[in-house]
Amino acid sequence: MKKIERLISIVMILLQKKVVSASEFSRLFHVTKRTIQRDMETLNYANIPIYAEHGTNGGYALMEEYKFDKRLLNHKDIENILVALGGFEGLITNQDIKTTIQKIKGMTSLDISPILDVTFYDWPGRSQINEEILFIRQAIEKNWLLTFEYVDQIGNKTDRLVEPYKLHFRELHWYLFGYSIEREDYRTFKLTRILNIQKGGFFVPRTDQEFQHKKQSNEQKKGVNVHLSIDAAVRDQFIERYGKEAVTKESTGNYLATIELPENQYAYQFLAGFGNKVKIIKPESFIAKYVIFLEEAVKLYK
């Protein structure tokens, strides 16, 4: 463990405990008591008010005035923050997030174990996506231009030069929102289609990027109302995704679901994943496009 990491950990521990002995710190970090003493001196030089308490139960303590004012956030507030951070940590393996979680826990002396737990499937490609996310995040913070090859839905590659502005997680996929120099407009890029991403210089951020991101997000939400006959076996999945009001029971024993879907490959793939448990009732135009999608898939096996 590096010294800076040890110093941060010492402060986090003292935020949670009243007094910690030098021996306890020494065992925890596998260093000598003299090293712990030097660490305390370093923290004092940094204006962190740590003092020594003498006696049988003595050790190091942090002045109460320095600790977090518990009137600002109550126990439930801190628990909610930990749930949110824990869920985000499930998406990105990031030391910064782990450190933040420890800081938040240090805001209270209570042992917080959130009653809500968010878990994401740890798919094999997650580690590679994490590396790309960390690189893109650094590019956004430092205003780096990004160069990469982008693969479209049918496999065509194009070279892109992009000003990165936001990373967005939607429908179990990560996206990069940025300004495409070639297209002279804002674009959203799916991370799994980005190849050979590299730093390509610097840029001055555009003032309208926040507005354009909201505009593009709203446009992506637009779709058509699709009426489906769904089997009872998949009812729960539709309720979780679209709400109880979107699903009603029919006299046949099946269920009717009315949902909004975009007319694109993602929607067709989503419905195809239910196999014969879902049938589209209307609109006819959506059915026609979906049938073409299925026929193209069947051709692969002929």
Side-chain angles (χ1 to χ4, degrees), residues 251-268:
S251 58
T252 59
N254 276 8
Y255 290 83
L256 178 67
T258 303
I259 62 176
E260 188 174 334
L261 288 173
E263 293 186 276
N264 58 27
Q265 294 287 109
Y266 299 116
Y268 307 146

Side-chain angles (χ1 to χ4, degrees), residues 29-42:
F29 299 119
H30 305 289
V31 295
T32 64
K33 291 182 182 179
R34 179 58 189 147
T35 298
I36 295 299
Q37 290 173 358
R38 287 195 293 266
D39 286 344
M40 297 304 171
E41 292 171 0
T42 300

Side-chain angles (χ1 to χ4, degrees), residues 11 14-15 17-19 48-51 60-67:
V11 175
L14 291 176
L15 281 167
K17 297 184 177 182
K18 287 188 175 182
V19 180
I48 296 176
I50 294 174
Y51 65 95
Y60 294 101
L62 193 61
M63 289 181 64
E64 285 298 322
E65 292 80 2
Y66 185 80
K67 293 190 176 183

Side-chain angles (χ1 to χ4, degrees), residues 37-280:
Q37 290 173 358
R38 287 195 293 266
D39 286 344
M40 297 304 171
E41 292 171 0
T42 300
L43 290 170
N44 276 315
Y45 288 141
N47 294 321
I48 296 176
I50 294 174
Y51 65 95
E53 284 196 359
H54 302 287
T56 306
N57 298 318
Y60 294 101
L62 193 61
M63 289 181 64
E64 285 298 322
E65 292 80 2
Y66 185 80
K67 293 190 176 183
F68 185 78
D69 188 346
K70 297 176 179 60
R71 293 172 298 178
L72 298 179
L73 294 176
N74 59 32
H75 180 84
K76 183 60 67 176
D77 293 328
I78 295 174
E79 180 181 330
N80 290 337
I81 292 172
L82 289 174
V83 169
L85 287 173
F88 196 65
E89 187 187 14
L91 295 175
I92 304 177
T93 303
N94 189 325
Q95 186 57 46
D96 289 344
I97 297 174
K98 294 180 184 294
T99 301
T100 301
I101 289 174
Q102 290 304 313
K103 287 181 180 179
I104 297 297
K105 286 183 177 179
M107 291 178 177
T108 177
S109 59
L110 298 175
D111 181 20
I112 294 181
S113 180
I115 59 175
L116 294 176
D117 185 28
V118 181
T119 304
F120 290 90
Y121 174 64
D122 191 12
W123 57 89
R126 179 184 168 198
S127 59
Q128 183 178 355
I129 288 290
N130 277 334
E131 292 175 5
E132 292 180 357
I133 289 172
L134 294 176
F135 178 75
I136 294 172
R137 179 181 174 183
Q138 188 177 21
I140 294 171
E141 292 172 347
K142 297 185 177 181
N143 296 333
W144 293 348
L145 280 168
L146 292 177
T147 64
F148 53 82
E149 292 178 304
Y150 194 66
V151 184
D152 65 16
Q153 290 184 350
I154 59 176
N156 295 324
K157 293 182 182 179
T158 53
D159 293 325
R160 299 297 182 97
L161 181 62
V162 172
E163 299 172 3
Y165 288 111
K166 284 185 182 294
L167 281 164
H168 183 56
F169 184 76
R170 184 180 72 248
E171 298 288 341
L172 299 179
H173 301 290
W174 280 101
Y175 297 88
L176 166 64
F177 171 77
Y179 186 87
S180 172
I181 303 300
E182 292 84 5
R183 302 294 190 268
E184 297 184 343
D185 199 1
Y186 291 93
R187 292 288 189 272
T188 298
F189 304 92
K190 193 174 183 180
L191 258 60
T192 51
R193 293 183 182 171
I194 292 177
L195 303 175
N196 304 318
I197 188 168
Q198 297 178 24
K199 176 184 173 183
F202 295 89
F203 70 95
V204 178
R206 298 170 190 270
T207 56
D208 66 337
Q209 50 97 1
E210 189 70 34
F211 167 76
Q212 292 294 340
H213 180 253
K214 290 180 180 178
K215 177 183 176 183
Q216 197 171 103
S217 296
N218 290 333
E219 289 175 350
Q220 289 172 348
K221 292 177 182 177
K222 294 179 181 178
V224 295
N225 284 325
V226 179
H227 298 262
L228 309 168
S229 176
I230 64 174
D231 189 273
V234 297
R235 167 185 170 273
D236 290 352
Q237 296 180 53
F238 278 86
I239 288 177
E240 288 174 353
R241 190 181 182 102
Y242 298 102
K244 292 181 179 179
E245 66 280 359
V247 179
T248 56
K249 191 170 184 178
E250 295 182 293
S251 58
T252 59
N254 276 8
Y255 290 83
L256 178 67
T258 303
I259 62 176
E260 188 174 334
L261 288 173
E263 293 186 276
N264 58 27
Q265 294 287 109
Y266 299 116
Y268 307 146
Q269 290 169 8
F270 167 70
L271 293 175
F274 293 102
N276 63 354
K277 302 297 182 182
V278 172
K279 179 182 179 181
I280 306 172

